[in-house]
Amino acid sequence: MTTKVKKTPLQALFEIAESQEGLFTAKQAETAGFSKTNHGYHVDVGNWIREHRGIFRLNQFPRSEYEQYVLWALWSCNRQEKIEGIYSHETALSFYELSDLNPAKLHMTVPKAFRRVAKTPKILVLHRGKLASTDYKTVRGFKVVKPLRAIQDLYMENTVQIEFLRQAFNEALRRGLITTSDIKDKKIPEKFRLTILEWALDRTA
């Protein structure tokens, strides 16, 4: 009979942080077995680096290009430690490198009931709405909407020049990130569906 070896708090925390680019929340540290009263000690001795209120990074993890995405995704966690913010709009297009848009802020869609006591960090732009599980995917500890949904939201809200959206659509289609069946989906708003059907036809003309 094999005896199951119990993980130490550090081992448990390392596993959590490893899936989140080295980052973790105070509640995740407590779940791993660290006392709520010694978080400050681990920061003072250099084991943890405080990245934001209630969010830390294990010191041995190197910086990552995805770290910023994970940081603000963890900021959006509810009391059950479920990530509520999903990167969308201009940020999603930038993440997939589909257009020349280079947003200075991170755009994130959150539920309509999303609330925080503290002010929203200046780097974030929050959009309130409902996303189906088929509208986004999970990447390295955060969520980002799929290209077609990002283009749809920007098109319907009319917040960026249409040339950028057409550029993003063509590039996503070329790379297989948007398929012909996606374009014909009846759940897409008709106005947008007719537009992208026209764009698709223009590519083949």
Side-chain angles (χ1 to χ4, degrees):
M1 183 176 177
T2 303
T3 303
K4 188 175 181 180
V5 179
K6 185 178 180 180
K7 297 174 185 175
T8 66
L10 181 57
Q11 289 172 328
L13 184 60
F14 186 91
E15 287 188 7
I16 293 171
E18 189 175 30
S19 66
Q20 299 175 165
E21 302 299 309
L23 297 169
F24 58 93
T25 66
K27 287 185 179 180
Q28 288 175 334
E30 291 164 33
T31 299
F34 286 86
S35 170
K36 186 176 183 178
T37 60
N38 65 11
H39 293 181
Y41 164 79
H42 288 288
V43 173
D44 291 341
V45 299
N47 297 332
W48 302 356
I49 298 172
R50 193 187 306 275
E51 298 292 348
H52 192 72
R53 182 178 180 182
I55 304 175
F56 307 89
R57 182 169 62 86
L58 284 178
N59 188 39
Q60 64 261 49
F61 275 86
R63 295 289 180 179
S64 158
E65 61 178 313
Y66 297 107
E67 183 179 327
Q68 183 173 229
Y69 292 116
V70 178
L71 172 63
W72 301 114
L74 292 177
W75 170 85
S76 77
C77 282
N78 59 21
R79 292 182 179 179
Q80 289 72 45
E81 289 295 286
K82 179 181 178 183
I83 290 174
E84 293 194 293
I86 301 174
Y87 292 107
S88 60
H89 296 75
E90 292 98 317
T91 299
L93 297 190
S94 177
F95 174 78
Y96 293 110
E97 298 182 341
L98 294 176
S99 77
D100 293 330
L101 283 171
N102 188 24
K105 297 189 176 185
L106 295 173
H107 292 254
M108 176 184 283
T109 295
V110 296
K112 292 181 179 179
F114 182 85
R115 293 290 183 276
R116 285 292 179 275
V117 175
K119 288 184 178 180
T120 300
K122 292 182 179 180
I123 194 172
L124 296 178
V125 177
L126 300 184
H127 304 263
R128 297 183 184 273
K130 185 177 181 180
L131 293 170
S133 59
T134 54
D135 287 330
Y136 60 86
K137 67 177 185 177
T138 301
V139 184
R140 304 176 72 101
F142 59 93
K143 299 174 182 178
V144 58
V145 302
K146 295 177 181 178
L148 187 59
R149 180 57 196 249
I151 296 168
Q152 174 186 311
D153 287 339
L154 289 167
Y155 178 85
M156 299 302 290
E157 295 173 18
N158 193 28
T159 52
V160 301
Q161 294 178 15
I162 198 72
E163 290 80 6
F164 288 118
L165 303 186
R166 186 165 186 162
Q167 178 191 31
F169 174 81
N170 288 338
E171 178 62 14
L173 204 61
R174 185 186 69 81
R175 287 163 49 187
L177 299 176
I178 294 175
T179 65
T180 302
S181 58
D182 291 333
I183 299 170
K184 296 178 180 179
D185 191 339
K186 298 296 183 182
K187 292 182 292 185
I188 296 175
E190 184 177 6
K191 179 183 177 182
F192 177 62
R193 184 157 52 87
L194 291 173
T195 297
I196 57 177
L197 281 170
E198 180 182 332
W199 291 349
L201 288 172
D202 285 347
R203 290 181 76 251
T204 59

